[in-house]
């Protein structure tokens, strides 16, 4: 297991260092968001390679690769439509002391690498210890629900943004009619599904902090809260949308008395703010 942990750490670090080199060469660091999904895919491939005789390894790795590649492709397409540095990273790096390049390495790439590796622990433990039995269908089902919400939510948002008539409006149809963040909710479900696979062996329960951390980032730290700060200042009618739509978990539209919209501070990434 120690060999596995060290190998996956090295594989994911390699992805981040390549992204860092590309960011330095291009003069912008938003490519780290693309590397996020690729880093998880690298962990999954390394995990499967070291546990090639275990069916669960291929299942957990396959699910992770599908999720990671889809996310990276989606983010890459979105980034390609907006040349230049992401305002989030421009603001972050403007606050750094000393050499800007090394500050970017520490505060953007290495930080995300550590989080990535920690969140991926259920995949590694599932591959190494968990049996592939009938109960695995529970984890796969949770993962599938998550991928559906994330992929469909992203696709609906992309179509909405591409329509000139939608400029300045709030997307409140499709999955966005039931939750203000179907993509973030889906992302969380993906990792709870992978944790459910790891939990088929007692050691998997030791990784429960991994999906908890991902969910905390998405719902309570750098995903939902910061995105809503941005939308509150750029979308007329967003406060009304908040008042009638569930903030994270899908639910029937109604009155959500405790929903609030906070002052502006933009973001579009669940992990980096």
């Amino acid at each position: 297991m120690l060999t596995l942990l060290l190998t996956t750490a090295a594989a994911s670090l390699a992805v981040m260092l390549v992204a860092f080199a590309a960011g330095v060469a291009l003069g912008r660091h938003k490519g780290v968001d693309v590397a996020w999904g690729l880093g998880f895919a690298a962990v999954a491939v390394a995990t499967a390679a070291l546990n090639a005789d275990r069916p669960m390894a291929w299942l957990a790795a396959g699910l992770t690769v599908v999720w990671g590649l889809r996310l990276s492709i989606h983010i890459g397409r979105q980034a390609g439509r907006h040349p230049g540095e992401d305002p989030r990273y421009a603001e972050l790096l403007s606050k750094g002391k000393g050499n800007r390049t090394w500050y970017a390495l520490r505060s953007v790439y290495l930080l995300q690498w550590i989080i990535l590796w920690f969140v991926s622990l259920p995949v590694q433990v599932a591959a190494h210890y968990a049996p592939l039995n009938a109960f695995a269908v529970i984890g796969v089902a949770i993962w599938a629900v998550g991928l559906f919400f994330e992929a469909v939510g992203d696709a609906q948002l992309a179509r909405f943004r591409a329509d000139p008539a939608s400029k300045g409006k709030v997307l409140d149809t499709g999955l966005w009619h039931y939750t203000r963040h179907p993509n973030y909710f889906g992302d969380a479900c993906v990792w709870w599904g992978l944790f459910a696979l790891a939990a088929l062996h007692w050691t998997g329960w030791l990784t429960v902090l991994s999906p908890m951390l991902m969910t905390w980032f998405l719902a309570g730290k750098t995903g939902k809260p910061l995105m809503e700060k941005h939308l509150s200042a750029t979308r007329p009618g967003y406060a009304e949308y908040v008042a009638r739509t569930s903030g994270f978990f899908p639910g029937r539209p109604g009155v959500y008395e405790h929903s609030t919209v906070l002052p502006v501070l933009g973001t579009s990434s669940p992990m980096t703010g």
Side-chain angles (χ1 to χ4, degrees):
M1 189 65 195
L2 179 59
T3 299
L4 174 60
L5 295 174
L6 293 175
T7 301
T8 55
S12 52
L13 177 60
V15 172
M16 284 298 175
L17 291 180
V18 169
F20 169 68
V24 172
L26 295 172
R28 56 182 181 271
H29 295 284
K30 65 181 182 180
V32 69
D33 292 339
V34 178
W36 176 254
L38 295 178
F40 282 105
V43 167
V45 170
T47 298
L50 292 177
N51 294 274
D53 60 334
R54 306 196 75 254
M56 176 59 84
W58 292 102
L59 174 61
L63 298 179
T64 306
V65 168
V66 168
W67 171 82
L69 292 182
R70 188 216 70 86
L71 181 62
S72 290
I73 292 171
H74 170 72
I75 293 177
R77 287 175 175 172
Q78 296 299 312
R81 297 189 179 101
H82 304 282
E85 181 63 282
D86 188 307
R88 296 169 298 136
Y89 294 118
E91 180 182 358
L92 173 65
L93 296 177
S94 68
K95 299 176 180 178
K97 297 180 180 179
N99 186 283
R100 183 178 185 272
T101 298
W102 296 119
Y103 181 77
L105 177 62
R106 296 192 309 271
S107 301
V108 177
Y109 295 89
L110 294 183
L111 177 60
Q112 291 206 43
W113 164 61
I114 294 171
I115 296 171
L116 183 164
W117 182 82
F118 183 80
V119 170
S120 72
L121 286 176
V123 177
Q124 301 178 57
V125 171
H128 197 72
Y129 290 114
L132 181 58
N133 56 35
F135 291 103
V137 71
I138 298 174
V140 174
I142 297 172
W143 175 91
V145 169
L147 188 68
F148 171 80
F149 268 86
E150 188 173 2
V152 174
D154 281 341
Q156 291 173 344
L157 181 59
R159 287 196 299 269
F160 181 80
R161 288 175 171 172
D163 184 356
S166 300
K167 187 174 182 179
K169 295 182 179 179
V170 176
L171 174 58
D172 61 356
T173 58
L175 295 180
W176 302 81
H177 184 62
Y178 302 99
T179 166
R180 303 200 296 273
H181 302 281
N183 47 354
Y184 292 168
F185 169 75
D187 203 339
C189 284
V190 162
W191 286 99
W192 281 107
L194 292 170
F195 166 74
L197 295 181
L200 294 175
H201 188 272
W202 71 266
T203 55
W205 289 94
L206 301 178
T207 70
V208 68
L209 291 180
S210 295
M212 289 177 65
L213 178 65
M214 178 66 93
T215 305
W216 177 70
F217 272 119
L218 293 165
K221 183 63 175 176
T222 57
K224 172 182 175 290
L226 297 184
M227 176 62 78
E228 295 195 344
K229 291 176 185 179
H230 169 65
L231 294 175
S232 68
T234 60
R235 295 291 186 272
Y238 192 72
E240 289 78 9
Y241 174 64
V242 168
R244 67 176 183 269
T245 310
S246 176
F248 192 73
F249 295 98
R252 285 185 60 184
V255 178
Y256 290 82
E257 297 179 355
H258 300 293
S259 295
T260 58
V261 180
L262 302 175
V264 62
L265 178 58
T267 184
S268 61
S269 169
M271 293 309 303
T272 56

